[in-house]
Amino acid sequence: MTLSLAGCSDGQKETEAPADKTATEAPAADDTSDADSSADDTSDTGAADAADTGAEADETEEETDASLAPITPSDYLIADASEYVTLGDYDAIPLEQTVYEITDEMVQSRINEELELYGEEKEQDRPIQEGDIVYANVSYTPQSTKETTTDEEFYTTVGYEEYGAEFDQNLTGASAGDTLEFSVSYAEDDMMLDWAGDTVDFKVEITSVCTLELPTYDDTFVQKNYGYNSTAEYESAVREILATEYEENSYSEAAENLLMTAIDLTTFSGYPQELFDSCKEELLSFYTAFIDGDTEQDVYDTFGITKEDFDAEILSAVNRRLLISAYCQENDITITQDEYFSYVEQFASYYGDSDVVSFEENYTRESLVESLYESKVASVLYEKAEITEVTYDPTSEDEFLDAEVISDDDDIEFVEDPDDTMEIFEDESEDMDGVEVFDMSEIEDVTDVAETGTTEA
């Protein structure tokens, strides 16, 4: 599941339930011979471990308190939010929550993804087939601009269709040493934003064709690499991991839907100009992080949106901030300094950052506090909601192509597995206890504007 960093940067954010970090790789299993240890030895060891753990916890808390500057979290709420917000009735909001059943196919798919990490590429002397990894020198020229870009470190896996089925079809059947010249036309709504509605001329000089040879999956492999005694034990662990991930995803979707419904039930009558300006600055910073340019016009031109679209996204973020502040103030939802310190330390540790001050600076104190408040509000709404569980039906949704957003000036860069990008965000969102990160892969259409409720002039 994926999350959006709380703050003004995005009007459509998701909120996640606290969860333990999960991974398909586990520590080595306990040696069964330990079970023969004496009760006294176990008791003594347990007492010593408990003492050590307690000392470490106290040490960590002291280090955190000493590192982070004092904070009063309530200072980061909009002080006069009630002047701009008329709260609605948020008790018993009806909600359909999607729940997921873990299938054997899902377990096998995850196992295959893990096996690929141990795979070995082997060069092939034959025509390209689906599933092959193709290395090439590529030049591409959008017909609308006639500007040619060359990438000498191109690689892609045929069949993933990162740049469309037609692109892969042209590669299929060719061999190393061949030079191909062809054109691909992209639809107006294609996820390749810079090429949507355009035709691109390609010149592809194929340098090598490889396959990914997977290791033998058996008890020995699992014992050596994952620390489980057998494939059956490992598969059971993978199933539990998937169940946890999808449960978290289910909560995240439900919490976000509740927040959006709450916004619809709220009446807004203006906003502090300072808040609007702050949200505008952060939204602009968010968009320009993905393009060559730093102005609003650059954003409009690259993403094909208008000033009205951009302002509507800002207003969506503003209204969200106002609702969270007003709801917290009305319902006495608070965050203590210790809660905040623990929150920051948890995430800094998760991301491997031993410097909590640096971590806080990177994510900004304001965004972290806002994220924690938003998580608490979502939790309250969830506890009060009238929830109907609906089992996920994979046949009910249209398939979509995962693709990276690139600009005409960027080098083409493919990934071997189009799901890798999504997994990065999924993995990083676990054990986040509410902290959120941006996920560009979920922005299907940046012109979509989040519902912001009734806003009076």
Side-chain angles (χ1 to χ4, degrees):
M1 123 212 61
T2 54
L3 305 172
S4 299
L5 182 61
C8 293
S9 298
D10 187 359
Q12 296 182 323
K13 309 180 186 68
E14 296 178 348
T15 308
E16 181 179 33
D20 292 330
K21 178 182 176 183
T22 57
T24 51
E25 205 165 325
D30 292 336
D31 191 339
T32 54
S33 64
D34 290 343
D36 297 328
S37 299
S38 68
D40 289 341
D41 288 342
T42 301
S43 177
D44 291 343
T45 302
D49 288 345
D52 290 343
T53 301
E56 290 174 3
D58 292 341
E59 217 172 81
T60 302
E61 184 175 350
E62 289 175 6
E63 289 176 359
T64 304
D65 290 346
S67 299
L68 293 172
I71 181 175
T72 303
S74 59
D75 288 347
Y76 290 83
L77 294 173
I78 309 304
D80 54 352
S82 60
E83 296 182 15
Y84 306 98
V85 173
T86 301
L87 296 175
D89 181 4
Y90 310 116
D91 292 341
I93 295 177
L95 171 72
E96 286 192 353
Q97 180 173 0
T98 303
V99 294
Y100 302 85
E101 294 181 354
I102 307 304
T103 65
D104 292 342
E105 290 76 10
M106 294 164 69
V107 173
Q108 189 59 52
S109 177
R110 175 59 62 87
I111 290 173
N112 290 343
E113 291 171 6
E114 294 299 317
L115 290 177
E116 287 183 3
L117 299 177
Y118 294 87
E120 180 180 348
E121 288 188 9
K122 291 190 176 180
E123 195 163 355
Q124 303 294 326
D125 184 17
R126 58 163 173 74
I128 295 170
Q129 302 174 0
E130 184 171 338
D132 288 346
I133 302 169
V134 177
Y135 291 86
N137 299 323
V138 177
S139 295
Y140 55 96
T141 307
Q143 293 184 1
S144 63
T145 64
K146 301 298 182 183
E147 296 179 0
T148 300
T149 301
T150 299
D151 178 12
E152 296 181 352
E153 298 179 354
F154 161 95
Y155 69 94
T156 185
T157 300
V158 175
Y160 286 164
E161 301 181 2
E162 293 101 328
Y163 279 68
E166 190 177 349
F167 185 95
D168 283 6
Q169 289 168 4
N170 279 281
L171 296 183
T172 304
S175 302
D178 290 350
T179 297
L180 309 175
E181 294 189 27
F182 56 88
S183 299
V184 176
S185 296
Y186 295 92
E188 291 287 348
D189 59 351
D190 197 279
M191 293 183 68
M192 297 294 299
L193 296 180
D194 283 345
W195 294 347
D198 203 350
T199 296
V200 182
D201 300 326
F202 291 95
K203 181 178 180 180
V204 181
E205 299 174 359
I206 301 172
T207 56
S208 66
V209 178
C210 300
T211 55
L212 185 65
E213 304 294 326
L214 299 182
T216 300
Y217 175 65
D218 55 19
D219 289 349
T220 300
F221 176 83
V222 166
Q223 292 165 7
K224 177 181 178 181
N225 295 286
Y226 301 138
Y228 292 94
N229 294 319
S230 65
T231 56
E233 183 179 310
Y234 172 61
E235 288 163 12
S236 177
V238 170
R239 186 178 294 275
E240 291 181 10
I241 288 165
L242 287 171
T244 299
E245 291 177 359
Y246 277 92
E247 182 179 347
E248 294 165 3
N249 189 55
S250 174
Y251 176 84
S252 176
E253 293 173 345
E256 175 61 17
N257 288 336
L258 283 171
L259 286 173
M260 296 307 294
T261 300
I263 290 174
D264 289 338
L265 294 171
T266 305
T267 300
F268 301 93
S269 55
Y271 48 80
Q273 187 61 46
E274 182 179 358
L275 175 62
F276 186 91
D277 293 342
S278 174
C279 289
K280 178 178 181 178
E281 181 180 348
E282 291 200 21
L283 185 62
L284 180 62
S285 176
F286 169 65
Y287 273 117
T288 54
F290 298 92
I291 65 175
D292 292 327
D294 57 7
T295 68
E296 287 182 49
Q297 192 59 49
D298 291 328
V299 172
Y300 305 155
D301 293 342
T302 302
F303 293 99
I305 62 177
T306 65
K307 183 179 186 304
E308 289 71 24
D309 296 327
F310 191 70
D311 286 348
E313 288 194 62
I314 299 170
L315 184 59
S316 177
V318 166
N319 287 347
R320 190 173 182 118
R321 283 284 313 281
L322 287 171
L323 169 61
I324 297 300
S325 292
Y327 190 89
C328 287
Q329 292 159 353
E330 177 69 20
N331 294 277
D332 296 323
I333 296 176
T334 61
I335 296 173
T336 67
Q337 176 172 274
D338 287 344
E339 280 184 289
Y340 176 75
F341 284 169
S342 175
Y343 187 69
V344 175
E345 182 188 2
Q346 176 186 3
F347 289 102
S349 175
Y350 178 79
Y351 284 108
D353 194 338
S354 59
D355 186 345
V356 291
V357 174
S358 173
F359 178 85
E360 185 187 53
E361 289 175 350
N362 290 335
Y363 280 85
T364 77
R365 172 166 283 200
E366 180 181 25
S367 292
L368 290 168
V369 172
E370 291 165 5
S371 178
L372 186 49
Y373 271 119
E374 187 169 290
S375 178
K376 285 200 169 190
V377 171
S379 178
V380 172
L381 295 177
Y382 186 82
E383 290 175 1
K384 295 181 177 181
E386 290 186 353
I387 299 173
T388 302
E389 293 188 347
V390 178
T391 302
Y392 172 71
D393 178 7
T395 64
S396 66
E397 295 189 2
D398 294 332
E399 294 183 357
F400 65 93
L401 174 67
D402 288 318
E404 293 182 344
V405 178
I406 69 168
S407 69
D408 288 335
D409 295 329
D410 290 336
D411 289 340
I412 300 179
E413 183 176 348
F414 291 89
V415 293
E416 293 181 12
D417 189 338
D419 293 330
D420 284 349
T421 300
M422 190 68 81
E423 287 174 9
I424 291 171
F425 287 100
E426 290 173 349
D427 290 344
E428 291 186 352
S429 67
E430 294 162 6
D431 197 25
M432 288 296 91
D433 200 15
V435 164
E436 307 176 345
V437 295
F438 284 116
D439 179 8
M440 283 297 290
S441 65
E442 287 198 346
I443 301 180
E444 297 180 1
D445 184 353
V446 294
T447 62
D448 289 344
V449 178
E451 295 295 327
T452 60
T454 305
T455 303
E456 299 176 2

